[in-house]
Amino acid sequence: MTALEDRTEAPAPEVGKARKRKEDARLITGRTTWTDNMVLPGMLHLAVVRSPVAHAKITSVDVSAAADAPGVVAVFTGRDFAEEQGSIPCAWPVTPDMVNPGHPSLAVEEVNHVGEAVAVIVARSKAAAQDAVELVDVDYDPLPVVLDMEEAVAEQPDLCHDHLSSNESFRFVFDAGEAGTGQNTDEAFANAEVVVSRRFVQQRLIPAFMEPRAAVVQPQGDNYTMWSSTQVPHILRLMLAMITGTPEHKLRVIAPDVGGGFGGKLQVTPEEVITLLVARRLGKPVKWTETRSESLMSAHHGRDQIQYVDVAADREGNIKGLKVHILSDMGAYLRLVSPGVPVLGAFMYPGIYKFPAYRFDCQGVFTNKTPTDAYRGAGRPEATFAIERIMDELAVELGMDPLELRRKNWIKAEEFPFTTVAGLEYDSGDYDAATQQALELLGYDELREEQRRRRESDDPVQLGIGFSTFTEMCGLAPSRVLGSLSYGAGGWEHASIRMLPTGKVEVVTGSTPHGQGHETAWSQLVADELGVPFEDVEVLHGDTGISSRGLDTYGSRSLVVGGAAVVSASQKVVAKARKVAAHLLEAGEDDLQFESGSFSVRGTPGTSISIQEIALATFAAHNFPEGMEPSIDADATFDPVNFSFPHGTHICAMEVDTETGFVKIRKYACVDDVGKIVNPLIVEGQVHGGLAQGIAQALYEEAIYDADGNLTTGTFVDYLVPSAADLPHFDTGNTVHEAPGNPIGAKGVGEAGCIASTPAVVNAALDAVRHLGVTDIRMPLTPERVWRAIHSGGDGGDRATAGSNAYGGAQTETTAGVSTEASSLGGDR
Amino acid sequence: MIPAPFEYARPTTVDEALQAIAAGGEDVKVLAGGQSLIPVMRLRLAAPETVVDLGRVAELRGVREDGDALVIGAMTTHSDVLADPLIQQHAPLIAQATETVADRQVRHRGTFGGALVHADPAGDLPAVALALDAEFVIAGPEGRRTVPARDFFVDYLTTAVGEGELLVEVRVPKLDGQWGMRYEKFNRVAQAWSIVAVAAAVRRENGHIAEARVGLTNMGPTPLRAGAVEAALSGAEATPEAIAAAAAHAAEGTEPSSDLNAQADYRQHLATVLTRRAVTAAAGL
């Protein structure tokens, strides 16, 4: 027989479609609820008084003038909350003896960085609160300021926290020889024919999310609802309960639409704690919204490492060993995962290469600066930069082509799954295929030819080509692995599917988006699994009252962990619906086939019932299978057994104007393998955004402190976030090697571009001017640094630490109140 | 951030504006687009007692011809300057420089006169006005006076516009003959201030440079004319070698500042490179 008459054309699968994002219309037009849009009856406004000094004892705080100011309801200092504010939590004690100095939300005895919260004004309007900030009179007894990590760990340094015995928070060592995943590193180096050593500086960066942070708290009896511009409402609820003693079941945290985070909102912030404490103390709804200046100064920063990297090889270019020593700047305090950031990188320094020996040694260092924490890539960009830069340096030392050296040492396609010297099992991939495709996208041979011509003619504009053949570990992730690293939570993710009577579908996800496009991608997944129209799926998220279980969004985890939970829950719904269908169609479950959203009896044309009809039948429950509860809804929690390992080859062609030092990306090509692609448009967008941020680290962004610990780059005039006008066209491509570790086959993509691009850009600039004697240029590659490296040697040196063109010479670091002579802006102004 | 409280006046004529300034108390700021003033007020780096907003003074807007000169109203926005055919025809250097000012949004609000009176050394228009020998018409309680560009820029963020006065228009001589012009700006990201920039106008005659005017942006507290370069170019052959030799004098007598983007010696180096490039382009080579 033929079933042809029975079948309509099956719709094309949603997975793989370049769907425009269903959430974009409201996000782009702003016709949605951001936290700062929240207006509650009787709501009061907060403004935070911040320390203008980097390190001092607080000798007195006089709030009387502020308390008397018009519209001011109350002023609180650290002492007012000393008994109930606890410490900002650090959920990642990376070593058993890690030193945590404690982190009050409002400073009580001392301040340890410029911008630290000292007091909070509560007023009837935002303007009144802001006006009163200047009326709070704080006396500071200055202490020595610790800013330089190398000095901080040298002999007899000044102390960032004078009640501690040193500036070291922890020392985390991974030695492959000791772990049994590799040979003895010292022996490998002792026997090596060639050793190349370099010191790389990962400058301090600021996440610079689009929407500044904000929090609103509404008390209702002894219940509290907090709206916050956060990436992690579930983690925030748990931590607030633990810190403030407000019972977890009396707290509800809502992340409404959130305008970006990049890791910068993966935090439990002092301001969130303060907002809750003030609302609890006054019994009134309160709102805190930061200014951009506050955000740049006091929201956590990222990167800031000094990397001492040694690589050993033989003369033929066979790598023998890798040693990495890291100084990682924690800033003044440990925040949620500050110590975990370098440790996430610890396992990625070997990159895609088959090192027989490896040792990683990291010191977490306190300085009197804003705390650091997660920033897009968190540990892996630093690792990727170090390995991809040192491979180029080794190639130069050996006189080898940098790509040839890589090829010789990378893991071959047939060797997957491959257990690395760091003990990770890389899941799948083909580095050579990605590289070949990227070379073609770039037009490699022509550009190499042009480079040769420019060199020979001594053209003022030189051309260079730089590679980054990278992989990374993402999709955080296996709870057991996180546990083995002493992380304070699991890595699972939760989803629920709720079938509504009209056949529409609600998907509840514990992975809270802040711009990634979860609503679209999840709808595509569910549409395929349930065979319902894309438009019939609604995704709910970001509210602990709706989505009771979740671990939120970071570490490129949403699709590969959260999406997997959605798929798993969908499959459970289908399994339940199958029982109902069998009952209604009076057939055996095994005789049913499920296709395009409908169950039908094999070999019996014309008998079918759609899952959406089953949803209505379930709602009515008039005719339901015996012994089955009337619901086909389902929950699922997914906990993968491994990370996913996206990889790719990024190639940058860079023009360097040797007369001015100005660098300009001529062409950028990258081929990323992110496994199965659910939505190519979202993947492309994530790659573009990641590239922009990775290139920004290479060329533009740097948080600079002056000698007193003032943030000199305190506005966007000085902290240079590039715009589209500053970035090149991106030629992107993909290879697809599905991840075996999740039912979708996807690998994370959120951080890949940011992790991969930075070393490709720096390698390209160096390739352009290496024949002029340049061996390194400090990031970001400012024109002045490039010019100095070409004309005076070295890596371009440090930049003037004070001084700015901003705002007609007006001082930009004084948002907190005062400046000193030494912090005044440079030049003749 | 929220500015400190201030009084606000929005006059509709120059006379009303002058009265508002006179009545505004000790610390009066004139709002002429607000692309520099509003940010510093929001950061509370400036807290004027009174802000006099010229946004509704229609007579200060627009570009017209007056004999040998173009007259540009002080409140003409950058985007209106860019769109103006008279500017394109008679003062393309102004158009070129204006196109590099900040971003599109700023150019729609910021004004020609506002940028000149603000006199930020990193701003693009002062060096252009200086290179073009513009004249500044200033209105005050005693009437109007005209100040040549070389006397207008007095010091860092300071011009010849005195207390109680207002810049009303800028007269730019039309350059007759075969003039070529070029504004060469050096910055790190598209919307940023100039680290250094060079405004060049060159008149060629018979394969020679008959006359050259070179203005320097951000090479000191005020915009500068590169006098030594101009002297060396006068009558020189229009060749790359002659231009390079002249441009080597560009940093003479300059005292640029050191800041996050550039230290003084690097600025001086940039001035010579950018001058060579600007003059070369203006000379049509």
Side-chain angles (χ1 to χ4, degrees):
Chain A
M1 69 162 285
T2 166
L4 270 183
E5 75 273 35
D6 205 26
R7 288 194 188 166
T8 49
E9 188 76 10
E14 279 293 335
V15 169
K17 260 192 206 170
R19 279 270 184 197
K20 285 190 179 164
R21 306 199 315 180
K22 54 163 71 172
E23 52 269 69
D24 275 357
R26 72 170 198 272
L27 294 179
I28 291 170
T29 60
R31 287 166 193 261
T32 186
T33 305
W34 312 107
T35 301
D36 191 42
N37 297 142
M38 297 292 305
V39 177
L40 301 174
M43 186 174 75
L44 301 172
H45 298 262
L46 304 186
V48 176
V49 181
R50 296 182 182 279
S51 171
V53 295
H55 195 197
K57 293 285 176 200
I58 298 172
T59 52
S60 75
V61 185
D62 181 356
V63 301
S64 53
D68 291 343
V72 171
V73 173
V75 183
F76 298 108
T77 68
R79 208 158 286 290
D80 294 319
F81 286 128
E83 300 308 316
E84 55 191 292
Q85 67 176 345
S87 171
I88 292 294
C90 175
W92 204 332
V94 293
T95 61
D97 56 353
M98 181 184 84
V99 176
N100 184 347
H103 185 350
S105 291
L106 272 176
V108 181
E109 303 281 345
E110 60 184 44
V111 291
N112 288 292
H113 67 90
V114 168
E116 186 168 353
V118 174
V120 58
I121 314 278
V122 190
R124 296 193 194 287
S125 74
K126 192 174 172 181
Q130 197 63 53
D131 284 345
V133 165
E134 291 164 13
L135 302 175
V136 174
D137 188 11
V138 186
D139 284 337
Y140 297 99
D141 189 2
L143 292 165
V145 178
V146 179
L147 298 170
D148 182 299
M149 276 195 286
E150 285 169 330
E151 288 174 14
V153 295
E155 294 289 306
Q156 297 191 316
D158 290 328
L159 291 175
C160 175
H161 294 277
D162 57 3
H163 62 281
L164 302 181
S165 58
S166 83
N167 292 312
E168 184 178 294
S169 171
F170 62 87
R171 187 154 196 159
F172 177 95
V173 176
F174 173 84
D175 187 297
E178 289 168 16
T181 54
Q183 300 163 10
N184 183 299
T185 309
D186 291 335
E187 277 175 26
F189 273 80
N191 298 329
E193 292 171 358
V194 179
V195 172
V196 174
S197 301
R198 290 286 185 276
R199 171 183 180 271
F200 298 130
V201 178
Q202 295 281 330
Q203 77 269 34
R204 182 173 275 250
L205 300 174
I206 303 179
F209 29 74
M210 207 185 309
E211 179 205 8
R213 298 170 303 159
V216 173
V217 175
Q218 180 175 38
Q220 286 165 305
D222 60 354
N223 284 271
Y224 298 90
T225 301
M226 171 182 283
W227 290 261
S228 179
S229 174
T230 180
Q231 291 175 227
V232 290
H234 296 90
I235 292 172
L236 181 58
R237 179 203 197 193
L238 172 64
M239 292 298 173
L240 286 174
M242 292 170 72
I243 299 167
T244 67
T246 305
E248 189 179 1
H249 64 301
K250 300 290 182 185
L251 265 174
R252 175 182 176 191
V253 175
I254 301 170
D257 277 331
V258 173
F262 310 121
K265 293 172 182 169
L266 167 52
Q267 195 54 271
V268 176
T269 68
E271 294 83 0
E272 286 163 335
V273 174
I274 291 167
T275 306
L276 176 60
L277 292 178
V278 171
R280 193 166 76 174
R281 179 75 64 94
L282 299 179
K284 294 227 161 83
V286 297
K287 181 201 281 185
W288 167 78
T289 304
E290 71 184 348
T291 67
R292 180 60 72 180
S293 305
E294 278 182 292
S295 187
L296 294 176
M297 180 167 57
S298 62
H300 76 243
H301 292 173
R303 310 283 195 275
D304 206 344
Q305 294 184 357
I306 299 173
Q307 307 171 304
Y308 309 89
V309 186
D310 307 300
V311 66
D314 66 19
R315 276 278 154 215
E316 286 69 50
N318 298 300
I319 51 173
K320 299 293 184 187
L322 182 67
K323 273 195 298 196
V324 182
H325 179 205
I326 307 290
L327 297 180
S328 184
D329 196 338
M330 299 290 104
Y333 297 108
L334 301 181
R335 284 204 180 160
L336 190 61
V337 296
S338 304
V341 171
V343 171
L344 267 180
F347 304 94
M348 290 316 301
Y349 280 83
I352 63 170
Y353 310 109
K354 294 184 278 185
F355 280 99
Y358 171 54
R359 181 179 168 83
F360 174 88
D361 176 357
C362 173
Q363 290 170 275
V365 182
F366 291 118
T367 63
N368 294 113
K369 288 179 276 193
T370 299
T372 62
D373 207 313
Y375 174 54
R376 202 172 193 171
R380 289 101 79 211
E382 297 93 314
T384 303
F385 182 86
I387 185 62
E388 289 303 300
R389 280 284 299 110
I390 201 81
M391 288 301 276
D392 263 30
E393 297 302 309
L394 178 61
V396 169
E397 177 67 27
L398 295 170
M400 279 180 80
D401 178 87
L403 201 50
E404 198 45 49
L405 178 67
R406 285 169 167 82
R407 254 195 205 105
K408 191 166 194 144
N409 290 290
W410 71 36
I411 299 157
K412 307 272 184 298
E414 61 272 19
E415 293 175 305
F416 286 97
F418 183 91
T419 301
T420 73
V421 71
L424 294 173
E425 186 187 282
Y426 288 4
D427 51 1
S428 66
D430 185 338
Y431 305 141
D432 194 56
T435 302
Q436 285 305 334
Q437 196 179 324
L439 289 169
E440 282 159 29
L441 270 180
L442 186 80
Y444 179 70
D445 294 337
E446 274 174 46
L447 286 167
R448 275 287 186 225
E449 176 57 22
E450 181 182 332
Q451 178 184 36
R452 190 190 58 76
R453 284 200 307 273
R454 286 180 184 270
R455 266 191 206 181
E456 282 177 5
S457 66
D458 204 16
D459 195 300
V461 177
Q462 290 290 312
L463 186 66
I465 298 174
F467 294 96
S468 171
T469 51
F470 86 107
T471 188
E472 60 128 336
M473 54 187 261
C474 65
L476 300 178
S479 297
R480 283 187 191 84
V481 176
L482 292 176
S484 74
L485 293 172
S486 311
Y487 182 61
W492 47 265
E493 194 48 85
H494 184 76
S496 320
I497 307 280
R498 307 202 291 230
M499 300 300 293
L500 304 182
T502 56
K504 309 296 184 191
V505 184
E506 281 181 344
V507 179
V508 181
T509 178
S511 172
T512 303
H514 45 285
Q516 288 83 357
H518 291 42
E519 291 173 29
T520 302
W522 281 206
S523 297
Q524 290 179 269
L525 293 172
V526 170
D528 277 1
E529 292 294 335
L530 300 185
V532 300
F534 172 83
E535 293 77 14
D536 283 359
V537 184
E538 187 71 14
V539 179
L540 308 177
H541 53 73
D543 180 346
T544 62
I546 292 171
S547 154
S548 55
R549 302 188 71 220
L551 284 169
D552 306 315
T553 291
Y554 43 83
S556 303
R557 70 189 303 274
S558 290
L559 182 64
V560 300
V561 190
V566 168
V567 167
S568 180
S570 302
Q571 290 168 351
K572 289 185 185 175
V573 169
V574 173
K576 288 187 186 178
R578 180 181 292 273
K579 289 188 194 298
V580 182
H583 175 74
L584 295 175
L585 295 174
E586 298 176 346
E589 277 186 57
D590 295 342
D591 296 330
L592 294 181
Q593 60 183 14
F594 182 62
E595 210 170 334
S596 300
S598 283
F599 292 95
S600 54
V601 183
R602 273 193 204 89
T604 312
T607 59
S608 76
I609 183 165
S610 77
I611 197 163
Q612 295 184 297
E613 290 165 337
I614 292 171
L616 183 61
T618 303
F619 171 71
H622 296 162
N623 180 12
F624 222 63
E626 200 62 36
M628 182 175 173
E629 63 183 67
S631 166
I632 57 170
D633 294 356
D635 283 25
T637 303
F638 182 75
D639 194 350
V641 294
N642 194 1
F643 299 99
S644 80
F645 296 89
H647 74 84
T649 296
H650 288 228
I651 315 178
C652 177
M654 177 78 92
E655 290 178 3
V656 179
D657 182 340
T658 59
E659 292 183 329
T660 63
F662 193 83
V663 296
K664 181 174 167 224
I665 294 178
R666 165 77 169 274
K667 202 160 184 197
Y668 195 99
C670 60
V671 173
D672 284 282
D673 194 317
V674 296
K676 176 92 164 180
I677 292 173
V678 172
N679 183 322
L681 204 55
I682 292 178
V683 165
E684 180 87 356
Q686 287 287 347
V687 169
H688 278 223
L691 291 177
Q693 281 180 302
I695 291 169
Q697 178 175 10
L699 301 184
Y700 301 114
E701 297 184 19
E702 182 177 26
I704 299 174
Y705 284 84
D706 70 12
D708 292 329
N710 295 301
L711 180 66
T712 313
T713 50
T715 74
F716 281 147
V717 171
D718 292 315
Y719 189 82
L720 294 188
V721 177
S723 69
D726 305 302
L727 295 164
H729 171 79
F730 300 127
D731 290 293
T732 62
N734 294 104
T735 58
V736 177
H737 291 83
E738 293 196 7
N742 66 71
I744 303 167
K747 303 174 182 177
V749 67
E751 296 159 296
C754 191
I755 291 168
S757 53
T758 311
V761 173
V762 176
N763 280 339
L766 284 167
D767 185 55
V769 295
R770 206 179 274 276
H771 66 293
L772 302 174
V774 179
T775 57
D776 196 14
I777 307 172
R778 184 91 62 88
M779 291 193 292
L781 273 53
T782 68
E784 181 173 18
R785 280 180 176 161
V786 175
W787 179 76
R788 288 197 193 278
I790 294 171
H791 295 278
S792 322
D795 66 0
D798 295 317
R799 294 164 66 180
T801 53
S804 160
N805 272 330
Y807 302 121
Q811 300 187 0
T812 56
E813 81 275 33
T814 57
T815 315
V818 302
S819 65
T820 64
E821 197 173 333
S823 71
S824 73
L825 295 172
D828 52 4
R829 296 169 180 180
Chain B
M1 199 163 150
I2 301 167
F6 56 89
E7 297 294 321
Y8 178 73
R10 190 161 61 179
T12 56
T13 66
V14 170
D15 286 342
E16 281 178 20
L18 290 170
Q19 286 165 20
I21 293 169
E26 286 287 302
D27 187 4
V28 183
K29 280 284 181 191
V30 173
L31 183 69
Q35 300 306 290
S36 294
L37 180 60
I38 297 295
V40 295
M41 287 175 62
R42 284 166 59 89
L43 289 167
R44 299 204 173 195
L45 299 166
E49 187 177 336
T50 305
V51 171
V52 178
D53 181 355
L54 300 183
R56 296 231 171 143
V57 184
E59 63 190 283
L60 292 179
R61 287 178 188 263
V63 181
R64 62 188 163 85
E65 282 181 287
D66 184 6
D68 294 339
L70 289 185
V71 182
I72 306 171
M75 284 296 291
T76 310
T77 63
H78 298 307
S79 66
D80 285 346
V81 166
L82 277 173
D84 193 281
L86 291 170
I87 300 271
Q88 293 289 346
Q89 189 183 345
H90 298 294
L93 187 59
I94 291 177
Q96 276 186 36
T98 301
E99 206 162 15
T100 72
V101 171
D103 56 33
R104 205 173 279 268
Q105 289 87 338
V106 168
R107 292 195 293 268
H108 273 280
R109 286 195 175 270
T111 62
F112 187 71
L116 289 166
V117 177
H118 184 53
D120 191 308
D124 296 297
L125 298 173
V128 170
L130 191 65
L132 294 177
D133 286 334
E135 294 180 319
F136 293 76
V137 179
I138 298 168
E142 316 297 318
R144 298 194 172 197
R145 65 193 178 102
T146 300
V147 176
R150 65 177 176 278
D151 297 330
F152 183 76
F153 300 103
V154 174
D155 200 349
Y156 180 66
L157 301 180
T158 310
T159 68
V161 177
E163 271 184 40
E165 291 187 319
L166 201 58
L167 176 70
V168 289
E169 60 194 28
V170 180
R171 302 173 65 87
V172 181
K174 294 180 191 167
L175 294 180
D176 295 323
Q178 290 299 306
W179 285 87
M181 304 181 192
R182 177 70 157 210
Y183 189 67
E184 192 76 27
K185 175 167 176 167
F186 192 82
N187 56 6
R188 288 180 59 204
V189 294
Q191 78 278 11
W193 297 89
S194 286
I195 296 172
V196 175
V198 176
V202 173
R203 183 163 62 84
R204 279 184 67 174
E205 260 177 22
N206 307 323
H208 285 68
I209 293 173
E211 190 183 351
R213 302 185 191 172
V214 178
L216 304 177
T217 296
N218 213 12
M219 287 298 291
T222 66
L224 300 171
R225 285 284 284 266
V229 177
E230 294 179 0
L233 286 172
S234 178
E237 282 186 57
T239 62
E241 295 74 23
I243 291 171
H249 297 288
E252 281 178 17
T254 64
E255 289 183 19
S257 61
S258 291
D259 61 32
L260 284 178
N261 287 312
Q263 293 171 59
D265 63 330
Y266 175 59
R267 276 207 162 83
Q268 292 187 320
H269 166 76
L270 283 178
T272 64
V273 174
L274 300 176
T275 297
R276 191 191 78 222
R277 291 179 182 178
V279 172
T280 302
L285 295 181

